[in-house]
């Protein structure tokens, strides 16, 4: 009998010095790597875990990587020949990248890749100067049980909830959800799902209704959004998930044909957007198709708007706010960097890694002068339910206040042109947020805010 040789993980130990607040009673041991298919980063603003999906369960892994002071040095600019120069030498053969995620705290990048039969998770730091293989032989983790057949399609996180979609090549699947702290051997709450599909004249060619997932808040409602193969798009009010029976997912828009690879939700330029890496190009889909209004207007299922024509080009009649191709090249995968930028891995054997701005707004700086919990900026009342007053340091009268949710997304931003200003938080969900106040010098002062 031949011995099964598992990849040797070399570089990054994971034994935590202190309990990760996202985990409850975790265990320590080896996570088998051969069936990993998806990864996703979960953060509450203080701690972070890497969720790994395989064909049996989801692992919430403490990666011990929550140092925000590293974010500036870890910011990617552009790394040419990233796959050939950085990944392939670590495993001694060609690597096929399967998924990619950005740590919202440290901005280190995690990549799931396959070399031969073996799968690896790579960690990218210092703008690509340091690339290592994550050591899963002695990991601290909680195993999250699915209780039944699991075929992970995608994983996302929002509003203090982890969502997982499962299903094989049919219209029927399951959606599971769980809130942290993630208890070892905790079990997902699940609901069966199905999807209306009409655009192929009675045929369907799709992998489960919720093949790619992202989370966002649109007009005050939390929504799960995404696209599936060939290519219905959906936007589900998360408040409806706790109902009984099969969840019927409506076709709210139609990207039309092809393979969706990854989606991301952003709010910038005063608008909400869904970004879809479809085949090998990035498309931007507007709020009109994300807020549920298409169902109200009877523009769904059979009547869903076709956003691309038969050749894969954006439909000529659509304004840019409805659908726009954002690609400057072709890409293998992407990851959300912040509300303004996507990290893109170029298609091809060399695989350049590039940070690409999707907004007309200028992203806030990732500054080494960031000050954590500096009391020279006061925010009161705290906790708050309606408005907060932000008082700047002495002699400061120009700043930008940005409120960031526990999953690293900007939920509100406001210019401040006086020593003291009021900010409305009444539309935010109850929870803990980070308020970053960017001063005219570029320094960022961070405070925690509790919304009740």
């Amino acid at each position: 009998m031949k011995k099964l040789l598992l990849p040797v993980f070399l570089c990054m130990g994971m034994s935590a010095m202190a309990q990760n607040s996202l985990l409850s009673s975790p265990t320590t041991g080896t996570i088998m790597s051969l069936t990993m298919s998806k990864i996703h980063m979960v953060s509450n603003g203080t701690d972070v875990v890497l969720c790994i999906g395989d064909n049996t369960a989801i692992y919430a892994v403490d990666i011990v990587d929550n140092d925000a002071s590293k974010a500036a040095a870890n910011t990617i600019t552009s790394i040419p020949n990233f796959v050939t120069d950085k990944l392939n030498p670590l495993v001694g053969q060609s690597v096929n990248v399967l998924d990619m995620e950005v740590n919202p705290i440290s901005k280190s990048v995690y990549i799931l890749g396959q070399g031969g039969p073996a799968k690896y998770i790579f960690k990218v730091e210092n703008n690509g100067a340091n690339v290592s293989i994550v050591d899963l032989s002695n990991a601290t983790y909680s195993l999250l049980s699915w209780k039944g057949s699991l075929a992970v399609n995608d994983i996302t996180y929002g509003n203090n909830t982890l969502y997982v979609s499962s299903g094989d090549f049919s219209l029927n699947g399951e959606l599971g959800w769980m809130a942290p702290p993630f208890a070892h051997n905790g079990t997902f709450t699940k609901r069966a799902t199905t999807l209306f599909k009409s655009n192929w004249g009675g045929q369907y060619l799709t992998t489960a209704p919720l093949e790619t997932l992202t989370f966002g808040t649109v007009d005050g409602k939390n929504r799960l959004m995404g696209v599936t193969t060939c290519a219905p798009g959906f936007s589900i009010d998360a408040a409806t998930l706790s109902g009984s029976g099969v969840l019927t997912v409506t076709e709210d828009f139609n990207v039309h044909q092809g393979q969706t690879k990854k989606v991301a939700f952003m709010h910038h330029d005063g608008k909400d957007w869904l970004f879809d890496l479809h085949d090998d190009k990035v498309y931007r889909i507007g709020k009109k198709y994300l807020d549920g209004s298409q169902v109200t207007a009877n523009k769904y299922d059979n009547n869903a708007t076709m956003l691309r024509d038969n050749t894969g080009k954006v439909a000529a009649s659509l304004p840019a706010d409805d659908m726009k191709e954002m690609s400057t090249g072709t890409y293998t995968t992407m990851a959300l960097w912040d509300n303004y930028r996507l990290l893109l891995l170029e298609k091809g054997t060399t695989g350049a890694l590039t940070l690409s701005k999707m907004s007309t707004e200028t992203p806030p700086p990732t500054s080494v002068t960031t000050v954590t919990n500096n009391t020279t900026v006061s925010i009161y009342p705290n906790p708050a339910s309606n408005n907060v007053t932000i008082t700047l340091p002495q002699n400061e009268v120009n700043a930008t206040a940005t409120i960031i949710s526990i999953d690293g997304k900007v939920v509100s931003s406001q210019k401040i042109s006086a020593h003291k200003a009021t900010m409305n938080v009444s539309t935010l969900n109850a929870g803990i947020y980070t308020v970053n106040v960017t001063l005219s010098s570029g320094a960022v002062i961070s405070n925690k805010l509790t919304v009740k």
Side-chain angles (χ1 to χ4, degrees):
M1 178 182 295
K2 293 183 178 179
K3 292 183 179 180
L4 178 64
L5 297 178
L6 298 178
V8 179
F9 295 94
L10 301 175
C11 300
M12 195 181 101
M14 291 190 190
S15 57
M17 297 298 292
Q19 174 66 52
N20 188 316
S21 62
L22 290 167
L23 300 177
S24 175
S25 302
T27 189
T28 301
T30 299
I31 296 175
M32 302 298 286
S33 64
L34 295 181
T35 60
M36 296 186 296
S37 59
K38 285 286 181 178
I39 58 175
H40 191 77
M41 202 70 65
V42 172
S43 174
N44 59 8
T46 301
D47 290 316
V48 63
V49 295
L50 181 66
C51 289
I52 304 172
D54 70 3
N55 60 5
T56 60
I58 306 294
Y59 298 86
V61 184
D62 185 2
I63 51 175
V64 196
D65 186 13
N66 61 348
D67 187 350
S69 69
K70 297 180 178 180
N74 285 338
T75 298
I76 301 292
T77 52
S78 180
I79 309 174
N81 305 321
F82 172 74
V83 174
T84 52
D85 291 354
K86 303 293 184 179
L87 301 187
N88 292 356
L90 285 177
V91 300
Q93 59 184 312
S94 179
V95 172
N96 177 32
V97 172
L98 305 176
D99 203 0
M100 180 169 67
E101 285 288 310
V102 176
N103 184 329
I105 297 179
S106 71
K107 293 301 183 184
S108 50
V109 178
Y110 290 79
I111 291 174
L112 173 61
Q114 182 168 3
K119 292 182 179 179
Y120 308 84
I121 294 178
F122 302 91
K123 180 182 179 183
V124 184
E125 300 175 282
N126 295 322
N127 195 20
N130 300 330
V131 182
S132 56
I133 299 175
V134 175
D135 184 359
L136 297 178
S137 66
N138 189 37
T140 297
Y141 67 92
S142 287
L143 183 147
L144 312 181
S145 176
W146 190 256
K147 296 295 183 184
S149 176
L150 175 63
V152 176
N153 284 317
D154 210 356
I155 308 171
T156 194
Y157 182 78
N159 194 33
N160 199 42
T161 305
L162 179 70
Y163 298 94
V164 177
S165 62
S166 172
D168 54 18
F169 199 74
S170 78
L171 294 178
N172 304 313
E174 290 182 302
L175 179 70
W177 58 91
M178 181 185 295
F182 301 121
H184 183 54
N185 290 325
T187 303
F188 280 94
T189 300
K190 296 192 300 182
R191 189 173 177 187
T193 55
T194 191
L195 174 70
F196 183 91
K197 184 74 173 75
S198 64
N199 291 317
W200 284 69
Q203 288 184 313
Y204 60 83
L205 297 169
T206 186
T207 305
L210 309 182
E211 185 180 1
T212 58
L213 284 179
T214 189
F215 182 94
T217 301
V218 183
D219 291 339
K221 290 187 177 181
N222 296 320
R223 307 191 75 93
L224 285 175
M225 295 167 273
V227 182
T228 192
T229 303
C230 288
F234 56 87
S235 179
I236 305 168
D237 184 347
T240 66
L241 296 179
S242 58
S244 60
V246 176
L247 175 68
T248 300
V249 180
T250 58
E251 183 177 359
D252 300 319
F253 56 92
N254 178 17
V255 181
H256 190 53
Q257 304 186 35
Q259 177 73 42
T260 180
K261 295 181 179 178
K262 202 160 186 179
V263 290
F265 176 82
M266 291 184 181
H267 176 86
H268 56 241
D269 301 331
K271 300 175 182 179
D272 300 312
W273 310 106
L274 177 68
F275 288 85
D276 175 26
L277 177 58
H278 209 90
D279 295 324
D280 53 14
K281 296 181 179 179
V282 179
Y283 297 88
R284 187 188 70 185
I285 300 165
K287 175 187 172 183
K288 176 179 178 179
Y289 303 103
L290 312 178
D291 61 5
S293 62
Q294 295 301 284
V295 175
T296 302
N298 193 32
K299 297 286 289 182
Y300 70 106
D301 289 352
N302 278 318
N303 299 320
T305 301
M306 186 179 292
L307 304 183
R308 301 197 307 171
D309 63 20
N310 290 330
T311 68
K313 295 180 179 179
V314 175
S317 61
L318 292 177
D321 275 5
D322 280 11
M323 178 71 157
K324 182 179 180 181
E325 183 181 330
M326 305 295 289
S327 300
T328 56
T330 56
Y331 305 100
T332 297
T333 190
M334 71 180 189
L336 179 71
W337 185 270
D338 56 20
N339 250 346
Y340 309 88
R341 293 168 289 191
L342 290 172
L343 186 64
L344 299 171
L345 180 66
E346 289 186 346
K347 190 175 181 180
T349 56
T350 60
L353 194 62
T354 305
L355 193 59
S356 182
K357 187 160 78 82
M358 298 288 125
S359 67
T360 58
E361 292 178 329
T362 301
T366 304
S367 173
V368 294
T369 58
T370 294
V371 182
T372 303
N373 294 325
N374 190 319
T375 55
T376 57
V377 165
S378 66
I379 300 176
Y380 62 89
N382 192 2
S385 56
N386 294 310
N387 296 302
V388 294
T389 298
I390 300 174
T391 304
L392 300 180
Q394 187 176 8
N395 300 324
E396 288 280 353
V397 293
N398 288 293
T400 300
T402 304
I403 302 178
I404 302 171
S405 62
I406 58 175
D407 54 343
K409 295 177 181 177
V410 175
V411 296
S412 184
S413 184
Q414 179 177 313
K415 297 285 187 182
I416 298 175
S417 56
H419 180 63
K420 183 182 293 186
T422 300
M423 198 166 185
N424 189 323
V425 297
S426 63
T427 61
L428 301 183
N429 295 315
I432 299 174
Y433 295 82
T434 298
V435 181
N436 286 343
V437 178
T438 305
L439 305 178
S440 56
S441 65
V444 180
I445 299 176
S446 297
N447 283 272
K448 295 297 182 184
L449 170 66
T450 300
V451 175
K452 59 182 181 180

